[in-house]
Every structure is written in structure tokens, then in C-alpha cells.
Amino acid sequence: MLSPLTQIAITLLHDIAMHEPHEAIGHCTSPEELRYIYTRLEQKGMICRKEKANEKANEKAAEDAGADTYTTCSYKLCRPLCEISLLEVLEAINGHL
């Protein structure tokens, strides 16, 4: 069985790949958990921040809305989604298996 954090990580990867914001995740996950997931996926080379120009625009929009900058719109995949394995996601979120 996949942990809730792993399920959210998989959803985030999908949403980043499809360029779709997933607002429902923010309602069922704390900002700290989202920050942890984004940080771990980024550290493991699955996602990275978009270009600085886009990042500044996203930060400005987030500041105006009073929101966290950890959104699917702020990131892109470092490689195609089909090349990211479930094992990689599990290890990124839960540690070495």
C-alpha cells in the first residue's frame, strides 16, 4: 500500500507533466508536507524550478494571493514522466527501501 505522501507525490508529478494546477492537494495536505514533497522530488532530480523570469512572476502572484510558492506551475519535470519509476518516488519520499 502506498503512503498518502507517496500518492500525493505521484499526483504532483502527473500534474506538473500535464501543466495542470492541482488545488485539491493543498486542501488535504499541510504546507509543510507539500514543501517536503517538492524538496525531496527536486533533490532526487525529478523536478526543478522553472526559469527565473517565470519564477519571479509566480512569486509575485503568490505574494499577491498570500499563497505558498510550492505549486505545480512553479516546476517542470527534469525528464519525461514515463522515465520516472515508482521505486524512485518511493525512495524519494520514504527513504531507501
Side-chain angles (χ1 to χ4, degrees):
M1 178 176 234
L2 299 176
S3 73
L5 286 181
T6 302
Q7 292 176 31
I8 292 167
I10 292 166
T11 301
L12 288 176
L13 288 169
H14 176 268
D15 291 347
I16 291 168
M18 298 298 127
H19 309 288
E20 296 176 359
H22 198 290
E23 298 170 8
I25 286 177
H27 298 293
C28 64
T29 307
S30 72
E32 293 80 18
E33 288 175 324
L34 281 177
R35 190 174 304 114
Y36 173 78
I37 293 168
Y38 278 107
T39 301
R40 295 295 296 159
L41 295 177
E42 189 170 15
Q43 288 173 342
K44 295 299 182 177
M46 291 178 231
I47 62 172
C48 59
R49 290 262 183 180
K50 289 184 178 178
E51 296 178 15
K52 293 291 181 187
N54 290 339
E55 186 175 319
K56 287 182 181 179
N58 288 335
E59 286 176 6
K60 175 76 172 118
E63 286 174 13
D64 292 344
D68 198 332
T69 58
Y70 290 93
T71 66
T72 55
C73 298
S74 301
Y75 287 87
K76 63 182 179 179
L77 295 179
C78 293
R79 59 186 191 267
L81 185 60
C82 63
E83 293 180 12
I84 298 174
S85 71
L86 176 58
L87 179 60
E88 288 179 277
V89 177
L90 287 167
E91 289 181 337
I93 302 305
N94 301 317
H96 186 69
L97 300 178

